[in-house]
Amino acid sequence: MNVLLLRPCPGDERFGLGPFFRVEPLGLEYVGAALRAAGHDPVAADLRFAPKSAASWVRKTRPRLVGISCAHALEFDRVLDTAREIRRASPDVFILVGGHAAAVYPFPFECDAVDAIGIDDGEEIVPMLADALDRKEPLAAVPGLRLRTPGGWIATPPLPERTPLDRIPLPARELVSRHRNGYHCLLFKPVWLVETARGCPHRCSFCSVWQLYGRSCRERSIGAVTEDFATAGDAIFVADDLFWNNPPRSLELAAALKKRGIFKRWLLVQTRTDVIVRNPDLLEAWRPLAEHFDIFLGLEAATDDGLAQLDKGAGVGDSVEAVRIARDHRYGVNGNFLVDPDWSESDFHDLWDFVARHGLQRAGYTILTPLPGTEYFESVRDRIIGQPWHKFDMHHVLWEPKVGAKRFFELYAETWRRSILNTAGDKRWTDWMKQVRPAQIPYLLRILWRTQAMMKPQAYLREHGRTGN
Ligand code: B12
């Protein structure tokens, strides 16, 4: 069966660094590999690149099934627009929506433009759905779906067990290879996205990952990951929710990669502070695998109370020590703090002091946002009625901040001004220019130009007042 897999354009990317971290749709590549293994014929299109019209892809590929991916809640409206466009172009095609945000919170998609929503990983359910459509079998027997029926939306039975990641050992990267040069993370281009494990055992209140996967963690085999690293390019973003979660396995993986002669220009991984504090040997084992090695750390808060309120399960002592260990091992440390709309002025001052004291100018700041699929979302439901989905990007506030919108955005912009990205701060335009090759200057200028908006309270206030897209 011809199957069209679509990665839609996310829409509003006015804030944040989304456009500068454009990575391949790895989930669709695994789904595509699974469809191929089942004898189907998938085509994948990344609508962030031309041709951007979903309808033109439908006309070109004549699919019986279209799968649309939705990783982020901020994309809900765009995904629905894409589904409607396909419905108009080809009323009989079966339209399936899936991906993290759709699986964890499928309800916005329960409408006529969509036929089913995948509420689990796609490697098993998408080929089973394609088979059932092919054989005209009842779709209610296909597991892991919310399904539109003449009597309304129903849930099909769950998968008997979580899909083992080695069921599909390697993604079908060739499905989007025409876009490879468009995939980049800041100045690293092209970039490959690689997954070695999925899930997280912790229970941070703002995160929807553990809630979808029931705090489970699945790993790919060392052989599959080594092969993936060996065949991917020299700049890799590791998609794992929690890198180094299983220390013995991580050491084994580092040894296998070293044995295979793998050395990359750039690696980026995401992990927790307490994982680093408990396992400095892991940082030592992994560091020789890349020339530049960045760690993205969820620092989240500047006080133990702040961390406890987020159910982080680690303290600021861990943050400080993790940063020290990572720096000692020559890792680039990029952290993120969460700024709560319910903060008072003193909370901002605590954050600024912490950042200055520990030299954390490379950190970023996002607004604590109730993402659908979290208990936090359920607990503030009444405060966010009517908020458009594009505002769930962690750069908007969804209710009136405690100190008032105007003051909140002044303080938030002031927070960003303390970051390395502030070209009026310690690191000037000219200092940035000196660090890059001449050909990279126009792109760097675009990044810096865009990030300056994050330091202007008026820019946020304008957004705060907007209701439409
Ligand atoms: C890579 C990534 C990014 C990248 C790239 C995204 C992009 N725009 O290209 C970057 C760094 C830019 C990014 C940014 C952000 N991200 Co992000 N990101 C991820 C991450 C870590 C990995 C996704 C991935 O590729 N996983 C590996 C693949 C193999 O898995 P998968 O995509 O889930 O695919 C499987 C299933 O979902 C399913 N599936 C996928 N597609 C389809 C389609 C169909 C039809 C079906 C049936 C099934 C299906 O099958 C696949 C195979 O099993 C996820 C974490 C996660 N666990 O999802 C967060 C995550 C999706 N991001 C998140 C967030 C919050 C953000 C930001 C808002 C963060 C911020 N601070 O600004 C920004 C938004 C950027 C923007 N404007 O778009 C949240 C989303 C929560 C939510 N409910 O909305 C997540 C879940 C992280 C978290 N712990 O909370 N992100």
Side-chain angles (χ1 to χ4, degrees):
M1 174 186 290
N2 285 355
V3 181
L4 177 63
L5 300 172
L6 295 176
R7 198 296 179 208
C9 195
D12 176 18
E13 289 193 304
R14 282 190 289 274
F15 280 94
L17 291 177
F20 304 110
F21 282 82
R22 185 148 288 168
V23 298
E24 63 199 291
L26 187 61
L28 287 183
E29 294 170 7
Y30 278 112
V31 171
L35 281 163
R36 274 192 186 152
H40 298 287
D41 189 8
V43 168
D46 189 331
L47 301 179
R48 291 170 295 178
F49 304 95
K52 293 188 174 188
S53 143
S56 74
W57 279 101
V58 168
R59 282 192 290 272
K60 195 154 88 184
T61 57
R62 305 193 164 279
R64 169 78 186 89
L65 166 64
V66 178
I68 313 175
S69 172
C70 183
H72 300 99
L74 67 98
E75 298 164 23
F76 279 165
D77 286 327
R78 280 305 183 95
V79 170
L80 276 169
D81 288 348
T82 306
R84 290 189 192 105
E85 185 188 342
I86 296 164
R87 183 66 88 221
R88 281 192 301 273
S90 180
D92 296 330
V93 76
F94 190 95
I95 300 176
L96 169 70
V97 174
H100 177 83
V104 82
Y105 195 71
F107 313 108
F109 297 114
E110 294 189 358
C111 63
D112 288 349
V114 174
D115 295 302
I117 307 150
I119 54 169
D120 209 325
D121 294 340
E123 289 94 333
E124 290 182 89
I125 61 182
V126 182
M128 286 166 103
L129 177 65
D131 288 346
L133 285 166
D134 220 7
R135 296 183 200 133
K136 301 192 169 44
E137 286 167 1
L139 303 183
V142 176
L145 297 177
R146 298 277 308 163
L147 184 69
R148 189 159 62 84
T149 70
W153 284 83
I154 59 159
T156 67
L159 281 168
E161 62 169 31
R162 286 186 202 288
T163 307
L165 297 188
D166 274 337
R167 188 182 178 98
I168 302 295
L170 290 169
R173 295 188 192 274
E174 62 285 1
L175 285 172
V176 291
S177 56
R178 62 191 174 282
H179 301 309
R180 179 58 63 194
N181 282 327
Y183 294 130
H184 61 275
C185 290
L186 297 171
L187 292 167
F188 293 99
K189 181 182 178 169
V191 155
W192 277 254
L193 190 64
V194 167
E195 184 187 63
T196 92
R198 193 178 297 179
C200 178
H202 298 274
R203 32 173 306 147
C204 304
S205 62
F206 53 85
C207 177
S208 50
V209 167
W210 62 271
Q211 324 215 20
L212 176 64
Y213 294 133
R215 299 174 76 186
S216 67
C217 301
R218 286 166 288 164
E219 295 167 346
R220 296 187 181 280
S221 68
I222 301 282
V225 177
T226 310
E227 183 61 22
D228 207 10
F229 264 75
T231 49
D234 72 352
I236 292 183
F237 177 169
V238 178
D240 299 15
D241 300 299
L242 180 58
F243 199 63
W244 291 319
N245 175 47
N246 175 351
R249 183 250 185 192
S250 295
L251 284 176
E252 197 186 336
L253 183 55
L257 293 171
K258 221 177 282 176
K259 194 162 164 219
R260 182 84 182 251
I262 284 162
F263 180 73
K264 299 291 175 186
R265 187 161 76 93
W266 179 66
L267 283 177
L268 168 65
V269 302
Q270 320 181 78
T271 191
R272 286 173 56 97
T273 57
D274 51 354
V275 166
I276 292 184
V277 172
R278 277 199 297 269
N279 306 285
D281 54 326
L282 287 178
L283 277 78
E284 198 176 325
W286 274 84
R287 187 61 189 86
L289 290 166
E291 184 187 349
H292 306 280
F293 205 135
D294 283 324
I295 303 180
F296 184 84
L297 271 180
L299 297 171
E300 331 297 6
T303 61
D304 283 336
D305 272 358
L307 288 173
Q309 270 169 36
L310 299 167
D311 293 332
K312 186 73 190 178
V316 285
D318 292 307
S319 305
V320 172
E321 184 59 2
V323 170
R324 186 194 65 75
I325 294 171
R327 284 178 178 157
D328 280 357
H329 285 90
R330 292 182 308 103
Y331 284 84
V333 183
N334 303 281
N336 192 69
F337 288 97
L338 289 168
V339 173
D340 189 336
D342 291 338
W343 269 5
S344 4
E345 300 236 1
S346 65
D347 295 307
F348 282 94
H349 287 278
D350 287 346
L351 176 58
W352 299 344
D353 290 348
F354 188 75
V355 167
R357 204 168 339 121
H358 301 290
L360 296 170
Q361 287 78 4
R362 278 179 69 162
Y365 306 93
T366 46
I367 291 173
L368 177 62
T369 302
L371 293 169
T374 60
E375 282 164 20
Y376 181 38
F377 177 86
E378 295 306 329
S379 71
V380 294
R381 240 173 201 285
D382 294 347
R383 297 175 87 178
I384 55 177
I385 291 166
Q387 287 293 344
W389 290 115
H390 78 266
K391 288 194 173 178
F392 287 71
D393 65 348
M394 308 189 85
H395 290 275
H396 290 77
V397 292
L398 303 175
W399 56 80
E400 193 61 13
K402 184 170 163 189
V403 293
K406 183 169 175 295
R407 186 65 189 140
F408 178 83
F409 288 124
E410 281 166 5
L411 293 163
Y412 183 51
E414 179 54 37
T415 309
W416 268 107
R417 270 188 230 119
R418 284 146 200 273
S419 108
I420 194 174
L421 290 169
N422 181 9
T423 52
D426 291 342
K427 189 162 177 174
R428 310 235 148 211
W429 293 97
T430 42
D431 300 324
W432 283 98
M433 298 302 132
K434 282 185 215 147
Q435 283 185 314
V436 300
R437 293 195 292 271
Q440 293 175 320
I441 288 179
Y443 178 72
L444 180 69
L445 286 175
R446 271 205 293 142
I447 298 178
L448 292 174
W449 176 256
R450 182 192 171 86
T451 47
Q452 301 319 294
M454 303 204 289
M455 293 155 213
K456 297 189 177 116
Q458 314 84 291
Y460 295 105
L461 271 171
R462 262 197 309 275
E463 282 290 315
H464 189 53
R466 288 169 74 103
T467 44
N469 259 318

